[in-house]
């Protein structure tokens, strides 16, 4: 019976439970309740709850990364990229990814294995952001102003911080205003790159 | 006996306990242990633990704000400002302010009064950051590129996110590299403003 419920279904239920109930109330019983399976299913796939949280962190991070990579690879201009990032941010919120990650990041302070996983996923996002920024400003004068790795680190940190604050507020209008405000520099960057060609 | 131990001493002990033990283990007994007073002292000054955490959030935020305001008011150039911010960041870390705030922000997701206090303090820091940015780029071409309130919001979020990640890593070298990387744009801004005079 247990083996019919897949590992991924357990992880999806874990992410949803984290987002809805917070870390402290994300017990095996609560996850099973969310997913509609017996608690035993969880221990069929995972050693212990620590193991579940580490896998959930990786699962939600990688699933979002696939979406981000697909969207960002298709972006033609900085303006187009910005529109895509805005939609991705809204997806992050709607799917409970933001809320779940925030719970896991907080919990990681008291859970060394989870902390290592959060660090590893953060590094993956920083590398991804580096490539995205590099594709936009590489070879332009802007790349000489601030090193791309540091810019990527700041961007990932800002994204995490904004999500934290927006989640606390249950108000994402501030983040949307920031996307609006970025339209002018994005358009300028596009104009600058066209002039250059 | 209780009234001889001041309210502020309780709050300082609360911040230290949050930083050292995390939110879940910051009980009245733990705070009393850190501060070297009887647990009853806490209930002499505060209604309940909720009240203690709300007051601790405000206390540590305002104490740091006074330090930031004093340093920033004395800054002459963008380069000087950057050097001061770097020292203030190191103070934030050393004093346990960052760790305590991170614990309180996480806990705020399940504590509405604390969430309201975090929001209020975040707004104070955003206004402060707005004034700082405005003093640096107000009247220059940069102010036309991105609206200052949105830039301030992003800066506060980035600061919070960086602190979260650095705290998790127990590694502040990434933040220091970011301060290093900002030296070039700061010097350019200073040169730009001198040319303009």
């Amino acid at each position: 019976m247990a083996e019919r419920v897949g590992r991924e279904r357990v992880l999806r239920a874990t992410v949803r439970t984290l987002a809805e109930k917070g870390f402290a109330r994300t017990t095996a019983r609560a996850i099973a309740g969310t997913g509609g399976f017996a608690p035993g299913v969880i221990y069929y796939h995972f050693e212990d709850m620590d193991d579940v949280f580490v896998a959930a962190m990786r699962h939600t991070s990688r699933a979002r990364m696939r979406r981000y990579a697909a969207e960002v690879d298709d972006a033609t201009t900085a303006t187009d990229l910005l529109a895509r990032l805005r939609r991705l941010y809204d997806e992050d919120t709607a799917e409970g990814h933001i809320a779940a990650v925030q719970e896991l990041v907080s919990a990681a302070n008291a859970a060394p294995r989870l902390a290592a996983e959060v660090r590893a996923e953060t590094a993956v996002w920083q590398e991804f952001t580096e490539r995205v920024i590099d594709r936009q400003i590489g070879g332009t004068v802007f790349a000489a102003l601030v090193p791309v790795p540091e810019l990527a680190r700041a961007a990932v940190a800002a994204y995490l911080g904004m999500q934290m604050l927006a989640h606390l507020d249950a108000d994402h209008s501030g983040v949307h205003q920031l996307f609006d405000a970025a339209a002018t520099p994005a358009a300028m960057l596009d104009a600058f790159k066209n002039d250059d060609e």
Side-chain angles (χ1 to χ4, degrees), chain A:
Chain A
M1 172 76 188
E3 61 268 39
R4 294 213 202 133
V5 176
R7 193 173 178 276
E8 199 183 312
R9 191 169 143 199
V10 173
L11 294 176
R12 280 204 308 270
T14 305
V15 171
R16 272 220 312 288
T17 311
L18 282 164
E20 284 163 17
K21 294 180 187 286
F23 184 82
R25 294 197 290 146
T26 301
T27 57
R29 183 170 294 276
I31 294 169
T34 306
F37 45 74
V41 169
I42 298 169
Y43 296 103
Y44 176 82
H45 291 289
F46 300 96
E47 286 289 314
D48 52 29
M49 286 306 288
D50 226 30
D51 205 24
V52 175
F53 291 126
V54 168
M57 178 71 212
R58 173 180 288 243
H59 169 76
T60 195
S61 173
R62 297 295 162 99
R64 295 307 296 150
M65 178 55 81
R66 283 193 295 276
R67 278 287 298 136
Y68 270 76
E71 282 287 328
V72 161
D73 276 347
D74 286 345
T76 50
T77 61
T79 301
D80 182 27
L81 174 64
L82 197 64
R84 286 165 189 268
L85 288 176
R86 186 185 190 128
R87 282 199 300 273
L88 289 164
Y89 176 85
D90 287 339
E91 280 179 18
D92 283 347
T93 311
E95 291 179 7
H97 167 73
I98 291 180
V101 165
Q102 195 189 333
E103 291 296 327
L104 291 169
V105 171
S106 308
N109 284 309
R113 271 186 63 211
L114 185 54
E117 186 63 34
V118 169
R119 276 197 291 274
E121 292 307 314
T122 305
V124 169
W125 283 92
Q126 277 169 354
E127 278 160 37
F128 171 75
T129 308
E130 241 177 88
R131 286 197 303 277
V132 172
I133 295 176
D134 195 50
R135 206 184 304 164
Q136 290 301 323
I137 72 166
T140 75
V141 64
F142 304 110
L145 281 182
V146 182
V148 172
E150 270 67 38
L151 211 55
R153 189 194 303 270
V156 170
Y159 208 67
L160 200 62
M162 282 192 304
Q163 292 180 335
M164 251 175 67
L165 292 175
H167 178 54
L168 198 63
D169 268 351
D171 175 7
H172 296 269
S173 60
V175 180
H176 287 151
Q177 280 162 27
L178 202 59
F179 277 117
D180 289 344
T184 306
M188 285 191 54
L189 184 60
D190 287 335
F192 181 86
K193 285 192 293 186
N194 278 333
D195 279 358
D196 222 40
E197 273 161 15

